[in-house]
Amino acid sequence: MTTSSPLPAGVSLRRADRSDAAAIRRLVWQVRINPLALDWQRFTLVVDADGRMLACAQVKPHGDGTRELASLAVVPPWRGKGLAHALIAHFQQQAGPPLYLTCRIALEPFYSRIGFRALEDAELPPYFARLQRIANMFSWLARRRLESIMRWDGPLPPARLP
């Protein structure tokens, strides 16, 4: 697989296969993101030269026709090395716009730099409007907004320099 975002030497992208399902679940649980709807058939992985998974992500289709960049997880020692950016660029090229995601508020600047923008409640398609209503209940308990729903409408961002 190719991507417009360079990866470190000895690291590559590949589609997940059935044998990756357990490792995907473990990494998603480890980084504490949504563990639901982890269908290995939708995943692309970043692997090292020995085939060890360093990062993963998927695009989930929803009943209202939207597609969500989801389950983006990077093994902690490999964070900050461009793996997440490479996976996002891969899915932007493969899926095309629009592409949605849900992230922690603290990650908005990261996704904004690669073309995603935070959506207002009035802009949300049905699936994400339901998700936002649930998130708002937890936000009320925490007394602050916890998550952001973002959308990428294209064009592809420029390649990231190493």
Side-chain angles (χ1 to χ4, degrees), residues 121 129 131-141 144-145:
D121 287 354
L131 188 65
Q132 187 64 41
R133 282 193 296 277
I134 294 166
N136 285 345
M137 289 189 292
F138 290 103
S139 296
W140 180 80
L141 291 171
R144 62 187 166 91
R145 200 169 124 235

Side-chain angles (χ1 to χ4, degrees), residues 9-31:
V11 173
S12 61
L13 292 178
R14 73 165 172 81
R15 292 193 51 85
D17 61 41
R18 185 180 307 275
S19 68
D20 298 310
I24 291 167
R25 281 193 306 278
R26 277 193 305 274
L27 180 56
V28 165
W29 278 95
Q30 178 186 1
V31 300

Side-chain angles (χ1 to χ4, degrees), residues 2-7 81-82 84-90 92-93 113-115 152 155-162:
T2 61
T3 178
S4 66
S5 186
L7 287 165
K81 298 182 183 339
H85 191 276
L87 281 167
I88 294 164
H90 167 75
Q92 286 173 318
Q93 291 172 347
R113 285 191 300 273
I114 50 180
W152 172 70
L156 292 173
R160 184 172 170 229
L161 298 175

Side-chain angles (χ1 to χ4, degrees), residues 29-119:
W29 278 95
Q30 178 186 1
V31 300
R32 298 180 178 171
I33 57 175
N34 181 357
L36 302 176
L38 301 177
D39 182 350
W40 64 265
Q41 295 175 62
R42 294 189 299 246
F43 275 81
T44 295
L45 311 179
V46 177
V47 296
D48 67 12
D50 295 322
R52 288 183 295 252
M53 184 178 64
L54 307 175
C56 65
Q58 67 171 323
V59 170
K60 293 192 302 193
H62 296 295
D64 62 3
T66 58
R67 295 164 303 134
E68 177 185 11
L69 175 64
S71 313
L72 178 58
V74 179
V75 173
W78 281 88
R79 290 182 182 160
K81 298 182 183 339
L83 307 187
H85 191 276
L87 281 167
I88 294 164
H90 167 75
F91 282 120
Q92 286 173 318
Q93 291 172 347
Q94 296 296 310
L99 196 56
Y100 294 81
L101 63 80
T102 302
C103 67
R104 296 177 187 116
I105 292 295
L107 292 173
E108 270 187 11
F110 170 77
Y111 289 111
S112 292
R113 285 191 300 273
I114 50 180
F116 284 84
R117 71 174 182 84
L119 298 177

